[in-house]
Amino acid sequence: MPGLHLVGLLKRFGKTTAVNKVNLEIEDGEIMTLLGPSGCGKTTTLRCIAGFLIPDEGEIYLGDQSMTDLPPEKRGIGFVFQNYALWPHMTVFDNLSFGLRLRRVPRSKIKSRVDETLALVRLSGFAERYPRQLSGGQQQRIALARALVIQPRVLLLDEPLSNLDAQLREEMRFEIRELQKNLGITAVYVTHDQAEALVLSDRIAVMNNGIITQIGTPEQIYNQPNNRFVAGFIGLSSFVDGIVTGLDTARAYATVTTSDEVAIRVPAGSMALNQEVTLAIRPEHITLISDTSAEVPPDANLLEGEVIRIAYLGDVIDYRIQVGGWTLRVHTDTDTHLRPKDKVQLMIPAERINLISPDL
Amino acid sequence: MSRSKILVKAIEAVVLVFLCFFIFGPMLALVLWSVAMKWFWPHVLPQEIGLDYWAQALGLQKSLAIGAVSITDAFQTSIVIAVLVVVLAMLIAVPAGYVLAKYRIPFRGAILFLFLMPQAFPQQPVFVNLLFSFNKIGLTSTIHGVVLIHLMVSLVFAVWISSAAFKGIPPELEEAARSVGASRLRAFFQITLPLAAPGLLASAVFVFLTSLDEFTGTFFIGLPFISTLPMLLYSSSGYNLQFASVIAIVLLIPSILFMVIIERFLKAEYIGGVGV
Ligand SMILES: Nc1ncnc2c1ncn2[C@@H]1O[C@H](COP(=O)(O)OP(=O)(O)OP(=O)(O)O)[C@@H](O)[C@H]1O
Ligand SMILES: [Mg+2]
C-alpha cells in the first residue's frame, strides 16, 4: 500500500482559511494523527483527502497517483465519521455489503468478507441488527467495519471515539491501533484529545489555525516541542521569556537571563548570544526542595519561589509558584503539604528545559 | 388517585368530548343528511331514510336533482387531476427540495420567493388574470389548465415540505456511501431518497388533498367543461343538501384513506432511526 502525500493543501471558506498550505507525508502503513484545537482545520483536511471537499490549492497523492481530481467514490478511501453515519434503514449486513455490491463482489464472497470484517471488530452475530439496536460503542465498531470491508487504500478517522464514555474510549485507542497495525493500512486519525494522539499514533501532526506547527513521534512532540503552541497544547508547560547572556560551549550549556534578572541554565542548542528565547518547562520536571541540604545535581537550576495557589488533582498536587515576576506550575506527589505563601526552593535540571522561539 | 390527577383526567375527558363533538358531530350530520329522504323541522332525526341519493349520485339511478353530471364522473375528473398534479409537483419538488436543502445556492431567497408569489396576492384577481392569459393559449376549460392552477397553488408547500425532509438527513450518510464507492446519483437514490420518503410522501399527500379540495382556481379556469367534486358540491349545496352531503362524504374518503396510509408508513421499521 502506498503512502499519502499532501502538497500545499489550501482550503478557504469565504474569508476564513481553514487549511493553509499544509504539507504532509504519511508513510505506507503509518498511522498519523492530526491533533489540534477545535476549528484548526483537522476535519477540513481530512475531508479534502476523502474528496468530500475540493481544495482551492494543492495536490493530494496516493503513491504516485494524483487524487486531487478524483471523485470520492474513485479514491478507495475508507472514512469513519464522528457521528458514525450508519445508514439507519439498512441492517448491519447491508451497511457492510453496500460497498462490496457496488464493487460487484460475488454474492458468496460478500457473505464471507462481511463475516470476516465483523469478526475483526468483534461483532460477529450482529449482522441482522439495525444500527439503532446497537450501543454507541457497537455502532462505532460497525462504522469502522464498514470503512474496512472495502479494503481501502487509506483509512481516515474523524474523532471516531469522541462520543464514547471515557473507559471505552481508552480501550478503543488500543484496539484501533492494533487493527491498523495488523492490517498494515495507512491511516490518518483526527482528534483534539492529546492522550488519544499520544497513545495511538506513529507520528503526530499538531495543527493550529490551519497550519501544521510540528510533526513528530509522540515522544518528540511531548519532550521537544519546538513552539509555544505545541508546548502548551500537549501536556502542560510554563513559559519564561529571556535573553541569552552567556554561552558555555564546552559543556554545551547556555545561560538565559529573564527580565527580572534571574539566570537559568539551559542546553545551548543552536543559540546565539543576545538572542531572545522562550523557555518551556513541564510541571513534572520541577522538584520542590524544602530541605536545603538535599542533594542537587551539578547541572540543575536552583530557584527561589513562593507558593501562590494549590490545586489537589487526585494523583498529583498542582502548585503555582511565583518566581520573580513569573509563575511556574509544579506537579508533586500528594505527600507534600505546602501552603500558600510558603517559601520553596525549586530544582530544574537544565536538560529538561525546552527552548522555543518566542514568535511562534 | 390524588386530587390533582382526578382534575387532569376530568379536563382530559371534557376536551375529548368537545373534540368528538366538533369532529364527529358534523360528520354524523353529513351521514344523516346523505340518507335523509324526508327531514323537516322540528324533527331531530330524519322522518324517512333511504339510499336514493347515493344511488343517484353514483349514477345507479337516474337523478332528478342534477341531471347530467354524476358524482362518479366528477370523482374521476378530480382523481385524474389530483394524480397528475401530484406527479408533476413531486417531479419539481423532489429535486428542488434536495438542492435547496443541500446546497447554498445563489438567489435562494429569490427562488423561494418565486414559488411563493402566487400565494402573495389575493387569489381571485390572480385567477381572473390567469383566465385571460389561459384563454389566449386555449388552456381554459381543459384538464391541463386546471392541473396548472392546482400546481401553482400547491407547489410552494410541496417544495417546502420536501426540502425539510431532505434537511433532516445528515449529509454524512450520503458521503459515507460515496466513500465506499457509490456515485452521486446512486448515493441519492439508495441512501437519501429512502430516508426522505416519509417526508416526501407527506408532501405528496398534501398536494393530493389540496388538489382534491381546490375550488376557486378550478371555478375560474375549469368551468364550464371541467367539473370536479368541489364544483359539484358547490352547485348542488344551494338546493339539495342530501346530494351535497353525499359529495362531501365522497371527498372525505381519500383524505381519511391517506391519513391511514401515512400513519402506517410513519410507523414503519426504519423511520425510528432517521436523524441519527
Ligand atoms: N462548510 C463550511 N463553511 C464555512 N466554514 C467552514 C466550513 N467547514 C469548516 N469551516 C471553518 O473552517 C475552520 C476549520 O474547521 P474544521 O471543521 O476543519 O475544524 P476542526 O479542526 O475539525 O475542529 P473540531 O475539532 O471542532 O472538529 C473553522 O473555522 C470552521 O468554522
Ligand atoms: Mg472536526
Side-chain angles (χ1 to χ4, degrees):
Chain A
M1 263 182 260
L4 185 67
H5 198 170
L6 311 184
V7 186
L9 200 69
L10 187 140
K11 178 70 190 174
R12 290 190 198 91
F13 294 110
K15 285 198 181 97
T16 49
T17 306
V19 177
N20 197 351
K21 303 230 164 96
V22 160
N23 294 301
L24 196 58
E25 220 164 316
I26 299 141
E27 281 161 27
D28 184 11
E30 181 182 37
I31 180 163
M32 167 80 83
T33 295
L34 299 180
L35 175 65
S38 186
C40 72
K42 308 180 295 286
T43 298
T44 305
T45 307
L46 213 58
R47 291 169 58 81
C48 285
I49 301 174
F52 302 148
L53 286 174
I54 297 162
D56 295 312
E57 288 173 27
E59 295 283 330
I60 299 160
Y61 294 98
L62 191 55
D64 304 331
Q65 186 194 4
S66 169
M67 300 212 295
T68 322
D69 298 321
L70 286 181
E73 65 267 26
K74 298 256 164 66
R75 296 195 181 194
I77 287 179
F79 202 107
V80 180
F81 295 86
Q82 183 171 7
N83 59 1
Y84 314 139
L86 296 174
W87 302 308
H89 60 309
M90 298 184 188
T91 60
V92 166
F93 182 86
D94 290 339
N95 265 275
L96 263 64
S97 61
F98 184 76
L100 296 177
R101 276 183 278 130
L102 292 177
R103 284 171 167 65
R104 309 205 178 286
V105 176
R107 211 167 266 273
S108 54
K109 261 192 135 179
I110 288 181
K111 175 91 172 71
S112 61
R113 284 263 291 270
V114 169
D115 285 346
E116 274 165 33
T117 314
L118 283 179
L120 207 61
V121 297
R122 298 195 282 120
L123 282 177
S124 305
F126 283 71
E128 294 315 315
R129 298 227 195 161
Y130 280 91
R132 76 194 131 73
Q133 298 169 321
L134 302 171
S135 74
Q138 290 164 343
Q139 288 183 32
Q140 206 285 319
R141 283 161 203 254
I142 295 300
L144 190 60
R146 182 181 63 183
L148 288 174
V149 74
I150 57 162
Q151 297 173 342
R153 298 190 284 176
V154 176
L155 181 65
L156 306 177
L157 306 104
D158 190 2
E159 308 208 22
L161 305 182
S162 60
N163 291 334
L164 304 180
D165 66 54
Q167 204 171 354
L168 191 56
R169 195 154 61 213
E170 211 161 316
E171 212 172 289
M172 285 299 292
R173 287 172 194 163
F174 294 105
E175 216 163 293
I176 287 180
R177 182 175 168 84
E178 206 170 307
L179 211 62
Q180 183 267 336
K181 285 295 162 228
N182 288 343
L183 297 173
I185 193 170
T186 309
V188 185
Y189 189 102
V190 159
T191 183
H192 59 251
D193 182 332
Q194 46 157 313
E196 212 166 283
L198 292 172
V199 168
L200 62 66
S201 320
D202 291 323
R203 283 192 300 158
I204 298 173
V206 185
M207 280 188 86
N208 190 26
N209 285 327
I211 296 169
I212 292 183
T213 62
Q214 188 174 359
I215 303 177
T217 64
E219 290 80 9
Q220 284 168 345
I221 295 286
Y222 190 85
N223 291 327
Q224 296 141 36
N226 64 14
N227 63 71
R228 189 171 180 138
F229 173 76
V230 174
F233 188 72
I234 292 125
L236 289 167
S237 283
S238 305
F239 298 100
V240 188
D241 294 324
I243 294 174
V244 179
T245 52
L247 271 176
D248 174 9
T249 33
R251 290 174 58 193
Y253 287 110
T255 308
V256 171
T257 308
T258 64
S259 56
D260 46 6
E261 302 295 328
V262 179
I264 302 171
R265 197 208 304 235
V266 301
S270 55
M271 280 186 301
L273 219 54
N274 294 325
Q275 187 188 345
E276 287 183 29
V277 290
T278 298
L279 310 183
I281 308 166
R282 299 248 181 239
E284 67 271 25
H285 292 156
I286 306 176
T287 316
L288 294 183
I289 350 186
S290 28
D291 176 9
T292 37
S293 67
E295 208 168 304
V296 176
D299 292 342
N301 293 287
L302 277 181
L303 303 173
E304 302 283 336
E306 180 185 318
V307 177
I308 52 173
R309 218 178 75 190
I310 303 168
Y312 175 70
L313 299 182
D315 52 343
V316 293
I317 297 179
D318 177 33
Y319 290 104
R320 254 164 233 242
I321 298 190
Q322 180 97 27
V323 179
W326 29 279
T327 57
L328 290 178
R329 282 177 82 165
V330 183
H331 283 178
T332 69
D333 55 37
T334 49
D335 296 339
T336 52
H337 297 287
L338 293 168
R339 278 180 294 169
K341 298 231 159 72
D342 280 356
K343 302 272 185 231
V344 288
Q345 208 168 31
L346 308 116
M347 184 195 59
I348 315 168
E351 67 274 12
R352 288 301 203 176
I353 298 175
N354 284 304
L355 302 163
I356 56 191
S357 34
D359 52 304
L360 256 170
Chain B
M1 216 191 270
S2 73
R3 195 175 286 183
S4 66
K5 265 190 187 157
I6 294 172
L7 193 71
V8 168
K9 286 269 176 230
I11 291 172
E12 269 178 18
V14 170
V15 168
L16 254 172
V17 167
F18 262 89
L19 273 180
C20 287
F21 182 74
F22 279 111
I23 295 170
F24 295 113
M27 290 240 264
L28 186 68
L30 273 183
V31 173
L32 279 180
W33 266 115
S34 75
V35 294
M37 298 302 291
K38 210 168 128 197
W39 191 1
F40 293 115
W41 195 80
H43 293 273
V44 180
L45 289 173
Q47 292 133 293
E48 216 183 302
I49 57 170
L51 289 174
D52 284 23
Y53 287 100
W54 279 98
Q56 287 173 26
L58 299 175
L60 300 173
Q61 187 181 322
K62 194 160 169 30
S63 162
L64 300 171
I66 303 271
V69 187
S70 76
I71 292 189
T72 27
D73 289 346
F75 189 74
Q76 225 168 34
T77 311
S78 273
I79 294 290
V80 166
I81 290 173
V83 168
L84 280 173
V85 171
V86 166
V87 169
L88 289 175
M90 293 321 281
L91 278 179
I92 300 169
V94 169
Y98 180 73
V99 169
L100 284 172
K102 184 152 179 186
Y103 301 102
R104 302 159 114 239
I105 50 170
F107 310 117
R108 180 197 165 96
I111 291 167
L112 274 176
F113 184 71
L114 209 69
F115 278 122
L116 205 62
M117 277 294 269
Q119 256 68 32
F121 298 97
Q123 303 250 294
Q124 270 82 349
V126 172
F127 290 139
V128 171
N129 257 315
L130 277 172
L131 179 60
F132 291 133
S133 35
F134 274 28
N135 237 333
K136 278 190 207 135
I137 49 176
L139 274 176
T140 43
S141 266
T142 63
I143 297 269
H144 309 84
V146 175
V147 165
L148 260 177
I149 285 293
H150 288 190
L151 207 53
M152 199 182 87
V153 171
S154 56
L155 200 54
V156 65
F157 299 106
V159 171
W160 191 14
I161 299 172
S162 53
S163 165
F166 286 120
K167 263 208 187 105
I169 299 165
E172 290 87 23
L173 295 186
E174 215 168 277
E175 286 169 355
R178 301 291 302 278
S179 75
V180 299
S183 64
R184 202 182 279 271
L185 220 57
R186 187 181 285 274
F188 173 76
F189 279 109
Q190 291 199 269
I191 305 295
T192 308
L193 196 61
L195 290 172
L200 298 179
L201 188 77
S203 172
V205 167
F206 178 84
V207 171
F208 188 85
L209 295 182
T210 305
S211 166
L212 217 56
D213 271 349
E214 211 284 335
F215 178 79
T216 326
T218 321
F219 180 78
F220 280 101
I221 304 297
L223 286 181
F225 298 126
I226 305 299
S227 192
T228 59
L229 277 180
M231 300 280 105
L232 203 60
L233 177 63
Y234 177 73
S235 52
S236 63
S237 61
Y239 54 89
N240 192 331
L241 263 177
Q242 287 91 331
F243 210 85
S245 303
V246 172
I247 298 169
I249 292 170
V250 170
L251 264 177
L252 273 174
I253 291 169
S255 314
I256 293 169
L257 222 70
F258 261 125
M259 288 305 157
V260 172
I261 291 174
I262 273 207
E263 240 260 320
R264 272 280 168 90
F265 202 76
L266 286 178
K267 273 185 189 159
E269 263 290 284
Y270 67 80
I271 307 304
V274 175
V276 161

